[in-house]
Amino acid sequence: MKAAVVNEFNKKLEIQDVAMPDIGYGEILVKIHTCGVCHTDLHAAHGDWPVKPKMPLIPGHEGVGIVEQAGDGTGSIKVGDRVGIPWLYSACGECEYCLSGRETLCPEQLNAGYSIDGAYAEYCKAPAKYVAKVPEALSFEEAAPLFCAGVTTYKALKISEAIPGDWVAIYGIGGLGHVAVQYAKAMGLNVIAVDIKDEKLEMAKDLGADLTVNGLNTDPAKAIHEKVGGVQAAISVAVTKKAFEQAYSSVKRGGSLVVVGLPNDELPIPIFDTVLNGVSVKGSIVGTRKDLQECLELAAQGKIKTMIETKRLEDVNEVLDRLEKGDINGRIVLNIS
Ligand code: NAD
Ligand code: ZN
Ligand code: ZN
């Protein structure tokens, strides 16, 4: 089968003919139709993070396709079903995190397109228990970004504990941020979108953002305090330290910063302000299977529209170059078959 493969960090991905995956007990083989390109795939190809991916690696954790084979033990997932394979490829099912519905914290988890091969390929195998069925109302292309960008931002907003009527700021209106704006609106929140590119802020406005701030030449935290007195929660999905510092400073007393973007960097936090203002800083990693179901359901109800541009698998290097330059509006999905 054809796949896009990272053979060495910081080198171009190669389109190669690789062996088809063999399925075992509880696993399915999915013929991939589309796969979204997440900034995490760029981090993986660059070896940015302290924990390195497998190598060689087939990236891709927003793969959507049709089940072509289902072995024994695949439960309700049948041949012909339309499913997506998320970042949380599998978890142990037995640890304290799995048992308490927090399987994204499982120390034994595997991650699609990182610790195990993902969906930049014609076929991808997956454990049936961890895939999700795609609602009929969504096309393959529309659905793909929900499997990471959607579930991650929906979960981050839940973790923020902001309630209807609160103001939230979304820092970084890229693949994740453009759906974050919509989930926030669907949850009854008031949204301030922050980016450093005007075209992204235009998109945020079209998608329902109440206010926008370009952080390139103005201090967004100052602007946010002036306009609304600070936000109950700031969600940072940008990939620069500066955005995290600004997001922290945007939060009002008793509010929270939710850390989602993953630049390989540190976030120095002033102890005095954090204590006196009662600010919480929370990490948020993708979402559970339940979060994924909820996030897909909201999209199926027409409340979330992924803004997508489609490309071929062969264009993957050009797509990753554009992602690095911040040159993509919404999400690019690779049409694979
Ligand atoms: P993206 O490249 O599509 O979006 C990043 C956006 O940030 C761009 O619109 C860019 O213009 C904007 N930006 C850059 N500098 C900024 C600044 N100073 N202020 C405001 N905005 C700024 O990336 P993406 O696919 O949305 O992913 C974003 C990050 O989230 C990546 O680091 C990715 O690895 C991470 N991620 C985390 C999780 C998780 O579970 N925590 C899940 C998926 C992705
Ligand atoms: Zn992702
Ligand atoms: Zn576990």
Side-chain angles (χ1 to χ4, degrees), residues 181-227:
V181 167
Q182 301 176 68
Y183 278 107
K185 289 309 294 178
M187 292 160 102
L189 303 164
N190 297 312
V191 178
I192 304 185
V194 184
D195 204 287
I196 52 170
K197 298 206 168 180
D198 283 334
E199 61 272 23
K200 312 233 178 188
L201 296 172
E202 284 304 317
M203 176 181 278
K205 249 186 228 158
D206 292 343
L207 296 173
D210 300 279
L211 296 170
T212 60
V213 181
N214 188 324
L216 189 60
N217 301 314
T218 43
D219 174 356
K222 189 161 170 272
I224 287 171
H225 281 280
E226 280 167 10
K227 286 177 193 200

Side-chain angles (χ1 to χ4, degrees), residues 37-41 61-62 87 147-149 152 176 286 331:
V37 178
C38 179
H39 206 114
T40 290
D41 305 336
H61 54 271
E62 289 184 349
W87 172 257
F147 280 84
C148 176
T152 299
L176 266 62
V286 291
R331 195 59 130 196

Side-chain angles (χ1 to χ4, degrees), residues 4-5 12-15 37 59 120 311-322 334:
V5 184
K12 289 206 176 313
L13 276 66
E14 289 175 57
I15 304 296
V37 178
Y120 283 13
K311 288 279 174 188
R312 298 172 314 147
L313 184 65
E314 288 76 6
D315 300 325
V316 66
N317 290 301
E318 177 210 316
V319 173
L320 291 172
D321 285 347
R322 282 178 56 196
L334 303 172

Side-chain angles (χ1 to χ4, degrees), residues 5 13 56 64 79 89 126 135-136 142 183 218 275 305 311 326 334:
V5 184
L13 276 66
V64 175
V79 170
Y89 180 87
E136 262 177 38
E142 285 170 327
Y183 278 107
T218 43
V275 173
K305 182 108 193 84
K311 288 279 174 188
L334 303 172

Side-chain angles (χ1 to χ4, degrees), residues 91-99 102-103 105-109 130:
C92 80
E94 295 176 347
C95 70
E96 65 174 290
Y97 305 104
C98 285
L99 291 177
R102 295 179 294 159
E103 66 262 28
L105 303 180
C106 175
E108 302 296 322
Q109 70 185 272
Y130 288 85

Side-chain angles (χ1 to χ4, degrees), residues 45-57:
H46 288 176
D48 280 344
W49 295 337
V51 177
K52 305 295 172 198
K54 78 179 272 288
M55 204 51 71
L57 170 74

